[in-house]
Amino acid sequence: MQFNVLTLPGDGIGIEVTREAVRVLEAVCRKFQHTVILKEALLGGIAIHKTGTPFPDETAKLAVEADATLMGAVGLPEFDNAPPEKRPEKGLLGIRKTLGVYANLRPVRTYRALMDSSPLKNHLIEGTDLIIVRELNGGIYYGTPRGIEGSGDEERGTNTMTYTRAEIARVCRMAFNLARQRRKKLTSVDKSNVLETSQLWRKVVVEVAAEFPDVTLDHLLVDNCAMQLVLNPKRFDVLVMENMFGDILSDEGAVLAGSIGMLPSASIGDRKPNGAWVGLYEPVHGSAPDIAGQNKANPLGAIGSVAAMLEYSFGLTTEAAAVNNAVEAVLNAGKVTADLKPAGTPLTTEQVGQAVCEAL
Ligand code: NAD
């Protein structure tokens, strides 16, 4: 195959982990004789510095043209108090919206070699293998009216959580399809005891379930789900939820996996005319200003995102498995960064990337 991949390294450790993910992408393409044509563009704080906006038009154009986009992370502390339009994170919301990626898939699995890195007891997490499907294009992060107005005691902040039937149905359908390829169990997470958006969510997911009689559906309130994820993560196969619930709960997955640096993600939209899924791939973590520039960030979440790209955008399941197996081999050999608390000297970001390429 020949494919065009756009990289958006972004800020902080995004740049460091993307470099290693690209090395692994090139290595897997060499091994399986595919041709990858890479382009790079600006997103986030670096884009504000160079162009005045976190999401330049040129970046939007290149992302739409590419077969898939691999992103690092955005965010620089110097913009923490900037207005929303001038914040790096605006670029993130912009690219997700432009590509129309509405389902964010966050696989969480525990590796035997990392069990001691998790603060949870081994017997609780051993064998955990779940995917959180987070709605990515709607909900409170995009809803209007929004803003801060007034002054003094009357100064008021407003956000709006809103969902249409169509928005709920398409992401639930994707989650059902995923569950169908796995252990055929879907948990829908909501807050239907309080929120009308959640009541609609539950009604629609039950309707969509009729198309998937082979998949067992259950429902959990989001607060209970937060608890169950650490009490009994093995009970889950695929979970589906709205944008903000997914944002929050998927970070809990980091506790199961040992480090947030381990977690990949895939944001998927509709199929293109050639049958491939529109996809944006990125590690779950942020730009980690506390360790940026030190060559110690864990690149395995970004590398796992390459595996997800191969699988979902290009249908290359053997190649994806080769990357995941190489990651597992590196973990088993104890060749990991400091966040995973190795027994010996931790490796650098670059050394871990190199080790994955060698294992491939
Ligand atoms: P973060 O994920 O950047 O960092 C949280 C903690 O985890 C830090 O202690 C960090 O050192 C550690 N960590 C994160 N990734 C790691 C890795 N690969 N290896 C080792 N340790 C790792 O979250 P934060 O500190 O809340 O946010 C920092 C900035 O990133 C903010 O500007 C935020 O808005 C942004 N952010 C961006 C994204 C994204 O681009 N998708 C996601 C989350 C946060």
Side-chain angles (χ1 to χ4, degrees):
M1 276 181 83
Q2 173 168 316
F3 37 83
N4 300 297
V5 173
L6 178 68
T7 65
L8 303 170
D11 305 316
I13 65 165
I15 299 165
E16 299 163 51
V17 298
T18 304
R19 195 180 297 133
E20 300 315 313
V22 165
R23 275 217 286 174
V24 172
L25 176 59
E26 289 176 325
V28 73
C29 285
R30 263 196 309 277
K31 181 176 163 77
F32 290 93
Q33 296 173 351
H34 302 298
T35 305
V36 57
I37 298 162
L38 291 157
K39 284 189 183 165
E40 189 178 306
L42 299 169
L43 187 81
I46 187 171
I48 300 177
H49 279 307
K50 294 205 170 164
T51 70
T53 162
F55 185 43
D57 291 345
E58 175 70 6
T59 300
K61 177 175 161 284
L62 289 172
V64 168
E65 284 169 7
D67 296 317
T69 301
L70 181 65
M71 207 171 82
V74 300
L76 291 176
E78 67 200 79
F79 295 110
D80 278 355
N81 297 314
E85 291 308 310
K86 288 282 177 196
R87 289 188 60 131
E89 291 78 0
K90 190 77 188 170
L92 203 59
L93 300 184
I95 186 141
R96 288 172 179 167
K97 201 77 181 173
T98 297
L99 288 176
V101 286
Y102 56 80
N104 183 227
L105 280 45
R106 297 184 164 195
V108 178
R109 63 180 277 223
T110 49
Y111 293 92
R112 193 167 277 276
L114 292 187
M115 295 243 280
D116 292 332
S117 306
S118 169
L120 296 180
K121 294 191 177 74
N122 290 359
H123 74 271
L124 285 179
I125 55 169
E126 184 173 15
T128 297
D129 179 6
L130 57 88
I131 299 189
I132 294 179
V133 179
R134 164 187 170 194
E135 199 291 325
L136 202 60
N137 245 213
I140 198 163
Y141 293 171
Y142 292 99
T144 52
R146 64 184 297 160
I148 301 176
E149 58 188 3
S151 60
D153 284 350
E154 295 307 311
E155 190 171 9
R156 179 185 297 274
T158 303
N159 290 99
T160 303
M161 185 186 274
T162 168
Y163 271 106
T164 64
R165 163 178 288 278
E167 284 174 324
I168 300 168
R170 66 182 180 178
V171 71
C172 289
R173 228 168 245 126
M174 188 170 289
F176 273 111
N177 270 316
L178 262 180
R180 181 171 262 178
Q181 291 155 34
R182 293 170 45 98
R183 302 194 302 278
K184 299 188 171 40
K185 192 163 178 282
L186 179 66
T187 302
S188 171
V189 179
D190 64 39
K191 188 72 184 166
S192 59
N193 52 343
V194 179
L195 299 175
E196 282 78 4
T197 43
S198 280
Q199 285 157 13
L200 180 65
W201 182 280
R202 198 175 275 215
K203 188 165 99 175
V204 174
V205 73
V206 167
E207 286 170 15
V208 174
E211 300 165 26
F212 300 87
D214 51 327
V215 177
T216 308
L217 171 69
D218 67 353
H219 306 273
L220 267 190
L221 295 177
V222 61
D223 34 358
N224 186 17
C225 185
M227 192 165 66
Q228 296 301 327
L229 271 172
V230 287
L231 278 180
N232 186 13
K234 276 176 277 193
R235 65 167 279 181
F236 295 113
D237 180 11
V238 181
L239 299 94
V240 65
M241 61 198 77
E242 68 88 39
N243 203 341
M244 184 170 62
F245 297 165
D247 191 5
I248 296 169
L249 289 189
S250 56
D251 270 28
E252 242 186 305
V255 182
L256 306 170
S259 162
I260 193 159
M262 287 301 300
L263 296 182
S265 86
S267 303
I268 312 283
D270 284 326
R271 279 185 195 269
K272 293 183 176 187
N274 66 3
W277 295 100
V278 172
L280 172 68
Y281 301 87
E282 55 178 311
V284 166
H285 63 75
S287 57
D290 53 336
I291 56 165
Q294 297 173 35
N295 199 14
K296 63 194 232 189
N298 183 346
L300 295 178
I303 290 170
S305 304
V306 166
M309 171 191 288
L310 293 166
E311 179 170 351
Y312 298 125
S313 277
F314 306 127
L316 299 173
T317 47
T318 308
E319 288 79 345
V323 172
N324 287 329
N325 291 341
V327 166
E328 188 146 20
V330 164
L331 291 173
N332 288 339
K335 295 179 179 172
V336 296
T337 41
D339 53 309
L340 295 175
K341 304 180 187 68
T345 314
L347 266 59
T348 62
T349 309
E350 211 176 322
Q351 286 169 330
V352 172
Q354 181 63 32
V356 175
C357 290
E358 283 163 14
L360 255 174

